Amino acid sequence: MIAWMMLAQAALLGLLGAGVTVAGIAKVRMNDWILGAAAIATLTLVVQIVASIIAPFTGSGPTGDPFEYWVYLVMAVLIPPAVALWALIDKGRWGVVALGVALMSVGVMVYRMHQIWFVQVF
Amino acid sequence: MSQSARSNGFGRVLVVVYGVLAIAATGRSLVQIVRDFDAAPLAYSLSAAAALVYILATVALLKRGAGWRRVAVATIGFELVGVLAVGVLSLTAPELFGHPSVWSWFGMGYGFIPLILPIVGLWWVLRGSERNNNAH
């Protein structure tokens, strides 16, 4: 696993989330761009899952608890599609704000996963 | 748009934040109990209880009706009391509560969201009920 990639992913999720949140506050309704942001977020998490499966075989497993890491990762990947789906069902600005906040939360979760993988604070 | 639903408008953001916190707290307390329960049984048991209450609060915010409103007020109120009590105890009795849990140090590990969320949540639920009473 490459450290800067996960940090870049967390930053990207934070930026996407902030952008979507601002769009929602500015009363932008659900559109292809916002759905695209959710799709990109999900895609990066799927890539991370694949990378996390491969990485231990190339001799760079997590320095922390793999169980904790996977609990976070599996939850994180489910959040963007679930919230995006909810925003699609009832199209309003608050659904967009909720999606933005969710993407930012996932960014924080990825940052936490980065800590589990690389940094041991305990 | 239904006026009675607590999960419309701004409430939708609240439900998503509660949902994410419920998921994160449940996952983390699951890990703590499986891996490290003996280190701080009291703090970790409370973490698990807090996680379950977050799940219940999320459901209560999603559901309609006066019964669920009471559940929402009770669970969100419990969280407010919990985060304040454990926040103080994590400073005064660190041997019992000085472990990373959702409420330790007033929810610092979660960006103080566990402290802010119940205040915003109670405001939203009680405000929503006033509007409903006026509408009837």
Side-chain angles (χ1 to χ4, degrees), chain B residues 124-135:
Chain B
W124 173 254
V125 172
L126 297 175
R127 173 188 164 278
S129 69
E130 272 171 33
R131 189 182 56 195
N132 291 342
N133 291 341
N134 293 340

Side-chain angles (χ1 to χ4, degrees), chain A residues 99-121:
Chain A
L99 179 60
V101 172
L103 292 184
M104 285 193 282
S105 315
V106 172
V108 174
M109 288 173 80
V110 170
Y111 179 71
R112 176 81 190 114
M113 284 178 238
H114 170 268
Q115 285 184 328
I116 296 171
W117 196 285
F118 295 106
V119 190
Q120 291 316 307
V121 287

Side-chain angles (χ1 to χ4, degrees), chain A residues 58-85:
Chain A
T58 62
S60 62
T63 60
D65 189 345
F67 176 53
E68 187 177 14
Y69 178 86
W70 278 103
V71 166
Y72 271 90
L73 184 49
V74 168
M75 285 170 182
V77 76
L78 296 174
I79 291 170
V83 182
L85 191 68

Side-chain angles (χ1 to χ4, degrees), chain B residues 22-86:
Chain B
I23 289 170
T26 307
R28 194 175 187 199
S29 70
L30 182 75
V31 171
Q32 285 173 332
I33 286 170
V34 169
R35 291 292 200 213
D36 196 28
F37 184 72
D38 293 335
L42 190 59
Y44 290 163
S45 301
L46 209 60
S47 245
L52 293 177
V53 173
Y54 281 120
I55 294 172
L56 194 58
T58 309
V59 173
L61 285 169
L62 274 168
K63 296 279 189 179
R64 291 151 197 266
W68 280 110
R69 189 179 78 89
R70 277 194 288 276
V71 175
V73 171
T75 51
I76 296 169
F78 177 79
E79 285 162 24
L80 187 58
V81 172
V83 74
L84 291 175
V86 175

Side-chain angles (χ1 to χ4, degrees), chain B residues 109-122:
Chain B
Y110 290 79
F112 293 111
I113 287 171
L115 179 62
I116 301 159
L117 205 54
I119 298 168
V120 177
L122 278 178

